[in-house]
């Protein structure tokens, strides 16, 4: 549960307000329409002028986008109707206290405290000693500095969707025992999401190809196929080495030239030659093709993006879904501060030496015990 305070004290200007309003609108237009449990269940909004004004009472956001949108639109016009603020620090402190009071009132109405509470103040002034956690009757107070940039604002709010709990690790990687004493090395790791899964979106069918409808059609007698045909347009060519695996998702599909019986022989032959030529050209240039779904001028549905990757033989290609900016979650790819210690490297090397290195991965030799 979060309450956002927007302080209009200079140098908070029209550009900052526009970036804030746009990033919040984009964020909640996505969050309020996601299926499944809400990652940002409760939200409240205050605008700080001569006094704190509650634009959106702390409440559930899911299915509540129209009211949220109206409150966010008020942010754009709020700066036009306020006069000079002479006691901004006092107003900010009062806004923080009002937010804490609203949290307590909401918890009492539910007779439980099932959500963690967080107050975020968007301000251009430095926090004072009167704004510490003790005077507010709440937990820790943290300061985050943002650049006046739309992407920075968007990433800040998308961080609300990340699981940052540190109660326990997510996975444990067990290495083979090193020679000598019976000592097992277990690496305890946290998992971090890279993108919002399109399966939770209302129009998820626009973000992935699906052969389920084709299979179901083939299980019952019918004279015509009803599964959809996806029109994918090549929009960009990208160096194969520049693709990060973390932005790929979904079910991969092998792509081959069609053998549809409805086409005449000449068309099938020409289509096959063009397919092989495209695969060969992509492979020789070491590039992949970025495809996107075709949308008509009157179509307001989202656009799906895919990668078409060539194969070594050229007889087939691989189609994989790739994320776009709206679904991308912020991530930090930091380099190690220092090189691993020599002792740690020797231990890990000894563990890895217990395993045979395979030249290739053969799934036929690996069982999942179904």
């Amino acid at each position: 549960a979060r309450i956002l305070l927007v302080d209009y004290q200079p140098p908070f200007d029209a550009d900052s307000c526009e970036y804030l309003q746009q990033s919040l609108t984009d964020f909640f237009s996505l969050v309020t329409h996601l299926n499944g449990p809400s990652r940002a269940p409760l939200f409240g909004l205050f605008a700080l002028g001569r006094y704190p004004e509650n634009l959106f009472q702390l409440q559930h956001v899911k299915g509540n986008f129209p009211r949220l949108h109206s409150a966010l639109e008020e942010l754009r016009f709020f700066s036009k109707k306020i006069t000079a603020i002479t006691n901004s620090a006092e107003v900010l402190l009062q806004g923080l206290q009002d937010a804490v009071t609203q949290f307590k009132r909401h918890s009492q109405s539910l007779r439980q405290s099932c959500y963690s509470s967080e107050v975020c103040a968007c301000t251009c002034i430095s926090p004072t000693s009167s704004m510490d956690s003790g005077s507010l009757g709440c937990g820790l107070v943290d300061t985050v500095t943002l650049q006046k940039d739309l992407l920075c604002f968007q990433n800040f709010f998308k961080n609300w969707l990340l699981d940052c709990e540190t109660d326990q690790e997510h996975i444990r990687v067990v290495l083979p025992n090193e020679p000598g004493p019976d000592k097992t090395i277990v690496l305890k790791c946290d998992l971090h999401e890279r993108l919002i899964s399109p399966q939770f979106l209302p129009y998820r069918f626009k973000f992935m190809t699906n052969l389920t409808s084709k299979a179901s059609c083939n299980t019952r007698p019918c004279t015509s196929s009803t599964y959809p045909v996806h029109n994918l347009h090549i929009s960009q060519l990208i160096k194969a080495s520049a693709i990060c695996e973390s932005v790929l998702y979904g079910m991969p599909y092998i792509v081959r030239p069609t053998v549809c019986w409805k086409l005449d022989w000449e068309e099938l032959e020409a289509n096959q030659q063009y397919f092989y030529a495209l695969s060969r050209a992509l492979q020789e240039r070491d590039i992949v093709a970025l495809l996107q779904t075709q949308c008509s001028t009157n179509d307001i549905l989202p656009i799906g993006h895919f990668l078409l990757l060539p194969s070594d033989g050229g007889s087939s290609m691989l189609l994989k879904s790739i994320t776009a900016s709206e679904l991308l979650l912020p991530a930090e790819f930091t380099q190690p501060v220092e090189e691993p210690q020599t002792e740690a490297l020797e231990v890990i090397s000894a563990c890895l030496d217990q395993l045979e290195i395979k030249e290739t991965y053969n799934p036929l030799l690996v069982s999942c015990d179904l």
Side-chain angles (χ1 to χ4, degrees), residues 241-266:
S241 58
I243 300 297
C244 179
E245 288 284 342
S246 67
V247 298
L248 302 176
Y249 65 90
M251 181 74 69
Y253 286 102
I254 295 175
V255 184
R256 294 193 178 99
T258 186
V259 291
C260 177
W261 61 269
K262 296 180 181 180
L263 302 180
D264 57 52
W265 179 257
E266 290 76 12

Side-chain angles (χ1 to χ4, degrees), residues 134-145:
S135 62
L136 295 174
C138 58
L140 298 176
V141 175
D142 193 15
T143 302
V144 178
T145 302

Side-chain angles (χ1 to χ4, degrees), residues 178 339-353:
E178 60 177 317
E339 289 294 322
Q341 296 179 356
T342 303
E343 180 182 356
L345 283 173
E346 292 175 351
V347 171
I348 295 300
S349 296
C351 292
L352 296 180
D353 289 341

Side-chain angles (χ1 to χ4, degrees), residues 24-40 60-69 161 196-204 207 302 327:
L24 281 170
T25 301
D26 293 343
F27 175 77
F28 283 111
S29 66
L30 176 66
V31 170
T32 56
H33 294 94
L34 289 176
N35 297 322
S38 178
R39 302 193 186 192
H60 289 277
V61 301
K62 200 165 188 177
N64 209 8
F65 184 68
R67 294 187 62 186
L68 258 172
H69 185 266
L161 303 178
I196 299 172
S197 176
Q199 67 176 327
F200 297 116
L201 296 174
Y203 300 106
R204 54 188 175 273
F207 295 92
L327 300 179

Side-chain angles (χ1 to χ4, degrees), residues 2 39 116 118 142 144 155-170 190-193 329-332:
R2 292 179 175 86
R39 302 193 186 192
S116 60
E118 180 179 311
D142 193 15
V144 178
N155 285 338
F156 174 77
F157 295 120
K158 281 185 177 180
N159 271 306
W160 291 358
L161 303 178
L162 297 177
D163 180 11
C164 300
E165 296 293 334
T166 57
D167 293 339
Q168 65 180 36
E169 68 275 10
H170 293 119
D190 294 335
L191 298 180
H192 298 271
E193 292 176 293
L329 292 173
E332 294 183 3

